[in-house]
Amino acid sequence: MKTSGIAAQLYTLRDFLKTPADIATTMQRVKAIGYDAVQLSGLGPIEPQALATILREEGLTAAATHVSFARLCNDLPALIDEHLLWGCRNVAIGAMPDEYRNAAGYVRFAKEATEIGRKLADAGLTFSYHNHSFEFEKFDGKTGMELLYNNADPEFLLAEIDTYWVQHGGGDPAAWIEKLSGRMVIVHLKDLGIVDNTQVMAEIGVGNMNWARILPACRAAGVTWYAVEQDVCQRDPFESLTISLANLHAMDWA
């Protein structure tokens, strides 16, 4: 089983993951494109053992997951068992609930997430937070991102920086990766382009982001998994994943 590399973030393919049969077919296609790992996200209902079988049969590593805050709070033992079954060491949450998105809420979430991360660490798992752009709203001169990471224990709440959303929020992706160096095991890579004077998500290397700075920053920060994601594609999502993977290899990502 791989312990580092490029993973396809399956949220990109959520429309092709509705049933167990869909999941099996999609995993086959992801492997055929050239990915050896996936981040589990956006899947329809499937039994954990059935998913483990598909991953094993396709030779795919579960690099990380995205899980809901409700499960982290209310169903943590079962969630831990699932990750151990899949051989997946890295748990991530896609966003904090709406009620935490204020100055006091960021601090409260940081404390609660630290305790969740502590329990996951006891089971040999990591816990990361995935940002969007709302975290770049400022409260008395500090962004939500700063409030979150300044108030969480760096041992138990890691960062899953999403390059597009940092840029979308007016931040510098490379600078944030550098700022959180040593606190990241997985990064989300997607590009930002302009079409008809509108910001769009683009395949890596197709948009305008500064990959010549971002990728070296990831290496220096100790990132082990590079998750390719595109929430909205301008073409077939499988083609988008293919383009991003080819361009990452051309950039000598490692």
Side-chain angles (χ1 to χ4, degrees):
M1 181 178 291
K2 290 175 70 68
T3 57
S4 64
I6 300 173
Q9 218 293 30
L10 292 179
Y11 185 75
T12 308
L13 303 172
R14 59 197 177 278
D15 292 337
F16 304 89
L17 296 165
K18 303 295 187 184
T19 69
D22 292 340
I23 292 168
T25 299
T26 295
M27 294 289 200
Q28 291 172 1
R29 295 182 69 181
V30 167
K31 180 69 174 182
I33 289 170
Y35 289 92
D36 293 324
V38 292
Q39 182 171 19
L40 300 173
S41 177
L43 280 69
I46 185 170
E47 289 296 321
Q49 183 60 62
L51 181 55
T53 299
I54 291 170
L55 291 167
R56 184 179 65 253
E57 289 179 346
E58 297 307 324
L60 287 167
T61 296
T65 60
H66 266 187
V67 299
S68 71
F69 192 54
R71 284 208 72 197
L72 289 164
C73 292
N74 303 318
D75 197 25
L76 195 60
L79 186 149
I80 288 170
D81 288 343
E82 290 169 5
H83 283 73
L84 297 177
L85 172 66
W86 300 327
C88 180
R89 289 196 62 250
N90 303 307
V91 181
I93 181 172
M96 65 179 65
D98 289 348
E99 60 266 27
Y100 290 91
R101 301 178 190 183
N102 53 69
Y106 278 103
V107 176
R108 181 162 58 97
F109 184 85
K111 304 301 184 184
E112 293 176 10
T114 291
E115 292 311 307
I116 291 169
R118 192 184 307 275
K119 294 174 183 176
L120 290 170
D122 288 342
L125 307 178
T126 72
F127 184 41
S128 301
Y129 179 81
H130 169 270
N131 66 277
H132 289 81
S133 55
F134 67 80
E135 295 91 348
F136 289 87
E137 181 177 354
K138 286 189 173 181
F139 304 91
D140 294 326
K142 288 191 178 296
T143 64
M145 286 280 279
E146 291 172 293
L147 293 173
L148 173 63
Y149 289 113
N150 289 348
N151 287 282
D153 188 319
E155 183 178 356
F156 299 118
L157 184 66
L158 308 182
E160 185 183 66
I161 289 293
D162 185 299
T163 56
Y164 172 93
W165 286 117
V166 173
Q167 189 92 30
H168 186 272
D172 179 336
W176 269 97
I177 292 165
E178 291 164 355
K179 180 182 179 69
L180 295 166
S181 181
R183 198 173 176 174
M184 296 178 61
V185 293
I186 184 166
V187 66
H188 273 198
L189 304 180
K190 65 169 76 79
D191 214 331
L192 187 154
I194 297 293
V195 175
D196 295 329
N197 203 34
T198 300
Q199 287 185 344
V200 298
M201 295 177 179
E203 295 78 14
I204 296 163
V206 174
N208 300 303
M209 294 181 63
N210 189 356
W211 297 107
R213 274 202 66 212
I214 292 170
L215 294 176
C218 289
R219 290 194 291 271
V223 170
T224 55
W225 286 109
Y226 296 72
V228 176
E229 182 184 37
Q230 199 170 335
D231 310 31
V232 179
C233 300
Q234 313 304 314
R235 63 188 89 218
D236 178 82
F238 291 96
E239 185 181 359
S240 290
L241 285 178
T242 303
I243 292 168
S244 286
L245 183 62
N247 287 346
L248 260 182
H249 284 308
M251 293 174 188
D252 192 22
W253 65 275

